[in-house]
Amino acid sequence: MKCEFCHKADAETAILLETDGEVKELFVCRNCAAAAEGAANKADGAHSASDPVGPPLPLMGMILDAAFEIVGRAMSMSDLTCPSCRITRNEYRKRSRLGCPACYEAFAKELDAAIFDLHRAQQHVGKAPQQAQADMRRRTIEEALSEAVRNQHFEEAIELRDRLRKLDAEKDGEKGQTA
Amino acid sequence: MISDVDHSVAEKRNRNVREDDIAMSCRVRLARNLAGERFPDWATEADRGRVFAAVSDALRVERPQVRVALIDGFDEQERDVLCESHLISKDLLGRPTGGGVAFESDKAYCVMINEEDHLRIQGFTHGLDMQKAWRTADELDTALEKHLKFAWSPQLGYLTACPSNVGTGLRAGAMLHLMGLRLLGEIEPVIRGLERMRLLVRGVCGEGSEAAGQIYQISNMDTLGTDESFIVSRIQRICAEVVRQEHNARVRLIRESPLVLVDCLARSLSVLQNARLLSTSEALEFLSAIRLGAALKLCTRLSVSDVDDMILVMQPGHLQKWHGVTMTSEERDEQRAFLLRGQMNGIRLKCGAVKAGR
Ligand SMILES: [Zn+2]
Ligand SMILES: [Zn+2]
């Protein structure tokens, strides 16, 4: 079988290629396999030069350390403490486990860079607890309501107020059912 | 009975290889934590007790058939059995008081309590039906959320003890048996290709890069930035592609290197039929080869699921539970060899023509 890239040399090995979200297997010669690997490493290098093959999970400690090192020095922080669980930045770094959910806010400046290095993303997409969804809907309406009042759009304000009341009524109704 | 196999028959057989022969099982897990509680690594014993109580109450309401228990409540063999069945992690066993486990008898789901996160909700399926495993975990998560307030933020999604799980908290993985690729020496480029696509590839058993028994767990690395169903279908699609590669490798093995295949099967079978002492990892290596032979229908009287059962019962916890006694490591090796000698008694290879033809 001939190489599926150059169609000259004999195919010796299979490689997996992902293009536009589609995975393809190609049988290629040794040279083309090496070239494909080089290209993939270069593409990865665009994101982080120190991490040519990509899988950072075992390297997580290092990524966190690096993030702390840079941000920590720039902000010349001594030993930041989470107000909720009271663990300090140094304690957290030692175990690379956060203390509590509130740590994400307490150490946000340092964590943001680390989280981006780990996931190459910064914004959650996907599932949210029902309660959080309801809270978010409510907050959106509340903000629109104060905006409407500020601009003296009273008809709109009344409509928004009624929607809030309806939400409250639904919530009470649910409570009545589950109780 | 067919005792001779020419290539076309073997290939026709191989076309009948079911996906399940290569994809052994799937797992989708969701990491969840209770708002306002310390993560298990930093929690006090009282904290962990409170979390365990809240989670088990919610589970009993939503899943009346559930069995919830503290890890402390199991003896050592039972713990090993849970671990060897891939229901719980070794990590959970090494943790102080407050770690727990919840599952039903069909074992379609299992919740680990106070492992690295407060909850690890896991859905399981056989084969490569990852969507089903996802639905199981998703439904249980939605049900529990009625009783438990999970830590969540609009920017980072579900908040986890380790930032590497933040966002969806979802890890979707399949256990694949890649013995054909291994025998053809093609496993390395496949793994490198997967890692380049930011997938985690790990040996299911044993330590280090070489997966004992050529059983690999392939799962997503990133948990933030793409939604759950996208992650699940991407991993499923990529795993299906790896299954296809392994399938191709098996076809080529029969066509191009039948002697390599038969030699491997024959050696493995004779060790299993004759050895007097077998360690777990040794036994796994040989059973893995026999599993390939069974999938290719080259062993008399042996199905793939027979071999899967043997892979399970020969492990330390299962072996001791089966005998009802605690054994030293050397006693286990002896009992393991004895057990497998019995199981392999009278099994023969149906590949005379493959062998003789070359
Ligand atoms: Zn080429
Ligand atoms: Zn904290």
PDB file of all heavy atoms in Angstrom, chain B residues 183 253-254 257-269 292 298 349-356:
ATOM      1  N   LEU B 183       0.048  -5.940  18.599  1.00  0.00           N
ATOM      2  CA  LEU B 183       0.791  -7.014  17.927  1.00  0.00           C
ATOM      3  C   LEU B 183       1.400  -6.532  16.617  1.00  0.00           C
ATOM      4  O   LEU B 183       2.438  -7.023  16.194  1.00  0.00           O
ATOM      5  CB  LEU B 183      -0.118  -8.226  17.671  1.00  0.00           C
ATOM      6  CG  LEU B 183      -0.414  -9.111  18.886  1.00  0.00           C
ATOM      7  CD1 LEU B 183      -1.368 -10.221  18.512  1.00  0.00           C
ATOM      8  CD2 LEU B 183       0.870  -9.674  19.475  1.00  0.00           C
ATOM      9  N   LEU B 253      -3.756  -8.397  10.616  1.00  0.00           N
ATOM     10  CA  LEU B 253      -2.998  -9.394  11.376  1.00  0.00           C
ATOM     11  C   LEU B 253      -3.233 -10.783  10.802  1.00  0.00           C
ATOM     12  O   LEU B 253      -2.298 -11.556  10.581  1.00  0.00           O
ATOM     13  CB  LEU B 253      -3.442  -9.326  12.833  1.00  0.00           C
ATOM     14  CG  LEU B 253      -2.555  -9.885  13.932  1.00  0.00           C
ATOM     15  CD1 LEU B 253      -1.159  -9.308  13.839  1.00  0.00           C
ATOM     16  CD2 LEU B 253      -3.182  -9.542  15.280  1.00  0.00           C
ATOM     17  N   ILE B 254      -4.492 -11.090  10.544  1.00  0.00           N
ATOM     18  CA  ILE B 254      -4.829 -12.403   9.991  1.00  0.00           C
ATOM     19  C   ILE B 254      -4.290 -12.548   8.582  1.00  0.00           C
ATOM     20  O   ILE B 254      -3.737 -13.574   8.200  1.00  0.00           O
ATOM     21  CB  ILE B 254      -6.367 -12.598   9.995  1.00  0.00           C
ATOM     22  CG1 ILE B 254      -6.860 -12.764  11.424  1.00  0.00           C
ATOM     23  CG2 ILE B 254      -6.761 -13.794   9.147  1.00  0.00           C
ATOM     24  CD1 ILE B 254      -8.362 -12.830  11.534  1.00  0.00           C
ATOM     25  N   SER B 257       0.098 -11.176   8.943  1.00  0.00           N
ATOM     26  CA  SER B 257       1.028 -11.741   9.934  1.00  0.00           C
ATOM     27  C   SER B 257       0.366 -12.854  10.737  1.00  0.00           C
ATOM     28  O   SER B 257       0.373 -12.809  11.972  1.00  0.00           O
ATOM     29  CB  SER B 257       1.516 -10.651  10.898  1.00  0.00           C
ATOM     30  OG  SER B 257       1.804  -9.467  10.231  1.00  0.00           O
ATOM     31  N   PRO B 258      -0.209 -13.853  10.072  1.00  0.00           N
ATOM     32  CA  PRO B 258      -0.925 -14.877  10.831  1.00  0.00           C
ATOM     33  C   PRO B 258      -0.015 -15.606  11.824  1.00  0.00           C
ATOM     34  O   PRO B 258      -0.472 -16.020  12.887  1.00  0.00           O
ATOM     35  CB  PRO B 258      -1.449 -15.825   9.748  1.00  0.00           C
ATOM     36  CG  PRO B 258      -0.584 -15.587   8.568  1.00  0.00           C
ATOM     37  CD  PRO B 258      -0.188 -14.145   8.626  1.00  0.00           C
ATOM     38  N   LEU B 259       1.274 -15.740  11.465  1.00  0.00           N
ATOM     39  CA  LEU B 259       2.177 -16.474  12.338  1.00  0.00           C
ATOM     40  C   LEU B 259       2.385 -15.728  13.662  1.00  0.00           C
ATOM     41  O   LEU B 259       2.451 -16.345  14.725  1.00  0.00           O
ATOM     42  CB  LEU B 259       3.516 -16.664  11.615  1.00  0.00           C
ATOM     43  CG  LEU B 259       4.293 -17.925  11.976  1.00  0.00           C
ATOM     44  CD1 LEU B 259       3.426 -19.169  11.824  1.00  0.00           C
ATOM     45  CD2 LEU B 259       5.551 -18.016  11.120  1.00  0.00           C
ATOM     46  N   VAL B 260       2.468 -14.407  13.576  1.00  0.00           N
ATOM     47  CA  VAL B 260       2.620 -13.596  14.790  1.00  0.00           C
ATOM     48  C   VAL B 260       1.410 -13.810  15.695  1.00  0.00           C
ATOM     49  O   VAL B 260       1.538 -14.020  16.904  1.00  0.00           O
ATOM     50  CB  VAL B 260       2.746 -12.097  14.428  1.00  0.00           C
ATOM     51  CG1 VAL B 260       2.694 -11.224  15.686  1.00  0.00           C
ATOM     52  CG2 VAL B 260       4.029 -11.849  13.649  1.00  0.00           C
ATOM     53  N   LEU B 261       0.226 -13.779  15.079  1.00  0.00           N
ATOM     54  CA  LEU B 261      -1.005 -13.943  15.839  1.00  0.00           C
ATOM     55  C   LEU B 261      -1.069 -15.320  16.497  1.00  0.00           C
ATOM     56  O   LEU B 261      -1.281 -15.445  17.705  1.00  0.00           O
ATOM     57  CB  LEU B 261      -2.202 -13.750  14.899  1.00  0.00           C
ATOM     58  CG  LEU B 261      -3.595 -14.073  15.469  1.00  0.00           C
ATOM     59  CD1 LEU B 261      -3.936 -13.111  16.597  1.00  0.00           C
ATOM     60  CD2 LEU B 261      -4.655 -13.989  14.375  1.00  0.00           C
ATOM     61  N   VAL B 262      -0.855 -16.364  15.685  1.00  0.00           N
ATOM     62  CA  VAL B 262      -0.983 -17.720  16.204  1.00  0.00           C
ATOM     63  C   VAL B 262       0.080 -17.997  17.265  1.00  0.00           C
ATOM     64  O   VAL B 262      -0.197 -18.614  18.296  1.00  0.00           O
ATOM     65  CB  VAL B 262      -0.899 -18.750  15.055  1.00  0.00           C
ATOM     66  CG1 VAL B 262      -0.846 -20.161  15.624  1.00  0.00           C
ATOM     67  CG2 VAL B 262      -2.097 -18.588  14.140  1.00  0.00           C
ATOM     68  N   ASP B 263       1.292 -17.516  17.036  1.00  0.00           N
ATOM     69  CA  ASP B 263       2.363 -17.707  18.011  1.00  0.00           C
ATOM     70  C   ASP B 263       1.975 -17.099  19.357  1.00  0.00           C
ATOM     71  O   ASP B 263       2.114 -17.732  20.402  1.00  0.00           O
ATOM     72  CB  ASP B 263       3.647 -17.055  17.492  1.00  0.00           C
ATOM     73  CG  ASP B 263       4.787 -17.200  18.478  1.00  0.00           C
ATOM     74  OD1 ASP B 263       5.182 -18.357  18.748  1.00  0.00           O
ATOM     75  OD2 ASP B 263       5.261 -16.176  19.016  1.00  0.00           O
ATOM     76  N   CYS B 264       1.428 -15.893  19.302  1.00  0.00           N
ATOM     77  CA  CYS B 264       1.035 -15.201  20.531  1.00  0.00           C
ATOM     78  C   CYS B 264      -0.079 -15.971  21.251  1.00  0.00           C
ATOM     79  O   CYS B 264      -0.026 -16.164  22.471  1.00  0.00           O
ATOM     80  CB  CYS B 264       0.599 -13.784  20.191  1.00  0.00           C
ATOM     81  SG  CYS B 264      -0.149 -12.912  21.554  1.00  0.00           S
ATOM     82  N   LEU B 265      -1.078 -16.414  20.482  1.00  0.00           N
ATOM     83  CA  LEU B 265      -2.188 -17.154  21.090  1.00  0.00           C
ATOM     84  C   LEU B 265      -1.701 -18.465  21.709  1.00  0.00           C
ATOM     85  O   LEU B 265      -2.061 -18.814  22.830  1.00  0.00           O
ATOM     86  CB  LEU B 265      -3.273 -17.449  20.038  1.00  0.00           C
ATOM     87  CG  LEU B 265      -4.020 -16.253  19.452  1.00  0.00           C
ATOM     88  CD1 LEU B 265      -5.059 -16.723  18.432  1.00  0.00           C
ATOM     89  CD2 LEU B 265      -4.691 -15.449  20.550  1.00  0.00           C
ATOM     90  N   ALA B 266      -0.853 -19.185  20.954  1.00  0.00           N
ATOM     91  CA  ALA B 266      -0.409 -20.502  21.408  1.00  0.00           C
ATOM     92  C   ALA B 266       0.436 -20.400  22.674  1.00  0.00           C
ATOM     93  O   ALA B 266       0.273 -21.168  23.627  1.00  0.00           O
ATOM     94  CB  ALA B 266       0.372 -21.195  20.291  1.00  0.00           C
ATOM     95  N   ARG B 267       1.350 -19.427  22.690  1.00  0.00           N
ATOM     96  CA  ARG B 267       2.175 -19.230  23.885  1.00  0.00           C
ATOM     97  C   ARG B 267       1.308 -18.888  25.095  1.00  0.00           C
ATOM     98  O   ARG B 267       1.492 -19.434  26.177  1.00  0.00           O
ATOM     99  CB  ARG B 267       3.128 -18.051  23.679  1.00  0.00           C
ATOM    100  CG  ARG B 267       4.334 -18.343  22.862  1.00  0.00           C
ATOM    101  CD  ARG B 267       4.945 -17.006  22.426  1.00  0.00           C
ATOM    102  NE  ARG B 267       6.077 -17.215  21.557  1.00  0.00           N
ATOM    103  CZ  ARG B 267       7.339 -17.244  22.001  1.00  0.00           C
ATOM    104  NH1 ARG B 267       7.586 -17.078  23.283  1.00  0.00           N
ATOM    105  NH2 ARG B 267       8.328 -17.440  21.171  1.00  0.00           N
ATOM    106  N   SER B 268       0.375 -17.963  24.880  1.00  0.00           N
ATOM    107  CA  SER B 268      -0.459 -17.510  25.992  1.00  0.00           C
ATOM    108  C   SER B 268      -1.288 -18.665  26.535  1.00  0.00           C
ATOM    109  O   SER B 268      -1.387 -18.857  27.749  1.00  0.00           O
ATOM    110  CB  SER B 268      -1.378 -16.389  25.536  1.00  0.00           C
ATOM    111  OG  SER B 268      -0.623 -15.334  25.005  1.00  0.00           O
ATOM    112  N   LEU B 269      -1.863 -19.433  25.609  1.00  0.00           N
ATOM    113  CA  LEU B 269      -2.697 -20.545  26.042  1.00  0.00           C
ATOM    114  C   LEU B 269      -1.874 -21.566  26.816  1.00  0.00           C
ATOM    115  O   LEU B 269      -2.306 -22.061  27.864  1.00  0.00           O
ATOM    116  CB  LEU B 269      -3.373 -21.190  24.824  1.00  0.00           C
ATOM    117  CG  LEU B 269      -4.394 -22.275  25.135  1.00  0.00           C
ATOM    118  CD1 LEU B 269      -5.533 -21.712  25.986  1.00  0.00           C
ATOM    119  CD2 LEU B 269      -4.962 -22.882  23.846  1.00  0.00           C
ATOM    120  N   LEU B 292      -8.322 -11.702  22.489  1.00  0.00           N
ATOM    121  CA  LEU B 292      -8.262 -11.448  21.047  1.00  0.00           C
ATOM    122  C   LEU B 292      -8.618 -12.718  20.276  1.00  0.00           C
ATOM    123  O   LEU B 292      -9.409 -12.688  19.326  1.00  0.00           O
ATOM    124  CB  LEU B 292      -6.863 -10.955  20.649  1.00  0.00           C
ATOM    125  CG  LEU B 292      -6.609 -10.766  19.149  1.00  0.00           C
ATOM    126  CD1 LEU B 292      -7.485  -9.655  18.581  1.00  0.00           C
ATOM    127  CD2 LEU B 292      -5.136 -10.457  18.874  1.00  0.00           C
ATOM    128  N   LEU B 298     -11.072 -17.964  17.327  1.00  0.00           N
ATOM    129  CA  LEU B 298      -9.981 -18.894  17.062  1.00  0.00           C
ATOM    130  C   LEU B 298      -9.724 -19.828  18.247  1.00  0.00           C
ATOM    131  O   LEU B 298      -8.797 -20.614  18.233  1.00  0.00           O
ATOM    132  CB  LEU B 298      -8.697 -18.120  16.722  1.00  0.00           C
ATOM    133  CG  LEU B 298      -8.741 -17.333  15.399  1.00  0.00           C
ATOM    134  CD1 LEU B 298      -7.479 -16.516  15.203  1.00  0.00           C
ATOM    135  CD2 LEU B 298      -8.968 -18.262  14.218  1.00  0.00           C
ATOM    136  N   LEU B 349      -6.779 -24.180  19.997  1.00  0.00           N
ATOM    137  CA  LEU B 349      -6.812 -23.146  18.965  1.00  0.00           C
ATOM    138  C   LEU B 349      -7.322 -23.746  17.667  1.00  0.00           C
ATOM    139  O   LEU B 349      -6.955 -24.856  17.305  1.00  0.00           O
ATOM    140  CB  LEU B 349      -5.413 -22.558  18.742  1.00  0.00           C
ATOM    141  CG  LEU B 349      -4.811 -21.808  19.932  1.00  0.00           C
ATOM    142  CD1 LEU B 349      -3.431 -21.291  19.574  1.00  0.00           C
ATOM    143  CD2 LEU B 349      -5.715 -20.658  20.359  1.00  0.00           C
ATOM    144  N   LYS B 350      -8.163 -22.988  16.969  1.00  0.00           N
ATOM    145  CA  LYS B 350      -8.721 -23.459  15.696  1.00  0.00           C
ATOM    146  C   LYS B 350      -8.011 -22.777  14.544  1.00  0.00           C
ATOM    147  O   LYS B 350      -8.633 -22.161  13.706  1.00  0.00           O
ATOM    148  CB  LYS B 350     -10.208 -23.106  15.636  1.00  0.00           C
ATOM    149  CG  LYS B 350     -11.034 -23.731  16.747  1.00  0.00           C
ATOM    150  CD  LYS B 350     -12.508 -23.543  16.487  1.00  0.00           C
ATOM    151  CE  LYS B 350     -12.996 -22.163  16.821  1.00  0.00           C
ATOM    152  NZ  LYS B 350     -14.457 -22.002  16.685  1.00  0.00           N
ATOM    153  N   CYS B 351      -6.691 -22.871  14.515  1.00  0.00           N
ATOM    154  CA  CYS B 351      -6.021 -22.109  13.461  1.00  0.00           C
ATOM    155  C   CYS B 351      -4.955 -22.935  12.771  1.00  0.00           C
ATOM    156  O   CYS B 351      -3.911 -22.413  12.405  1.00  0.00           O
ATOM    157  CB  CYS B 351      -5.448 -20.820  14.008  1.00  0.00           C
ATOM    158  SG  CYS B 351      -4.879 -20.930  15.679  1.00  0.00           S
ATOM    159  N   GLY B 352      -5.237 -24.205  12.557  1.00  0.00           N
ATOM    160  CA  GLY B 352      -4.284 -25.076  11.878  1.00  0.00           C
ATOM    161  C   GLY B 352      -3.847 -24.543  10.525  1.00  0.00           C
ATOM    162  O   GLY B 352      -2.656 -24.465  10.229  1.00  0.00           O
ATOM    163  N   ALA B 353      -4.813 -24.107   9.739  1.00  0.00           N
ATOM    164  CA  ALA B 353      -4.489 -23.681   8.379  1.00  0.00           C
ATOM    165  C   ALA B 353      -3.716 -22.375   8.367  1.00  0.00           C
ATOM    166  O   ALA B 353      -2.804 -22.192   7.569  1.00  0.00           O
ATOM    167  CB  ALA B 353      -5.767 -23.524   7.567  1.00  0.00           C
ATOM    168  N   VAL B 354      -4.094 -21.495   9.263  1.00  0.00           N
ATOM    169  CA  VAL B 354      -3.383 -20.226   9.332  1.00  0.00           C
ATOM    170  C   VAL B 354      -1.917 -20.496   9.620  1.00  0.00           C
ATOM    171  O   VAL B 354      -1.012 -19.942   9.004  1.00  0.00           O
ATOM    172  CB  VAL B 354      -3.983 -19.322  10.431  1.00  0.00           C
ATOM    173  CG1 VAL B 354      -3.146 -18.068  10.597  1.00  0.00           C
ATOM    174  CG2 VAL B 354      -5.404 -18.947  10.078  1.00  0.00           C
ATOM    175  N   LYS B 355      -1.688 -21.415  10.540  1.00  0.00           N
ATOM    176  CA  LYS B 355      -0.330 -21.728  10.962  1.00  0.00           C
ATOM    177  C   LYS B 355       0.414 -22.460   9.839  1.00  0.00           C
ATOM    178  O   LYS B 355       1.499 -22.078   9.455  1.00  0.00           O
ATOM    179  CB  LYS B 355      -0.383 -22.591  12.220  1.00  0.00           C
ATOM    180  CG  LYS B 355       0.959 -22.769  12.885  1.00  0.00           C
ATOM    181  CD  LYS B 355       0.812 -23.369  14.272  1.00  0.00           C
ATOM    182  CE  LYS B 355      -0.169 -24.520  14.290  1.00  0.00           C
ATOM    183  NZ  LYS B 355      -0.315 -25.083  15.646  1.00  0.00           N
ATOM    184  N   ALA B 356      -0.245 -23.526   9.308  1.00  0.00           N
ATOM    185  CA  ALA B 356       0.436 -24.385   8.346  1.00  0.00           C
ATOM    186  C   ALA B 356       0.635 -23.681   7.015  1.00  0.00           C
ATOM    187  O   ALA B 356       1.589 -23.930   6.290  1.00  0.00           O
ATOM    188  CB  ALA B 356      -0.360 -25.665   8.126  1.00  0.00           C
TER     189      ALA B 356
END
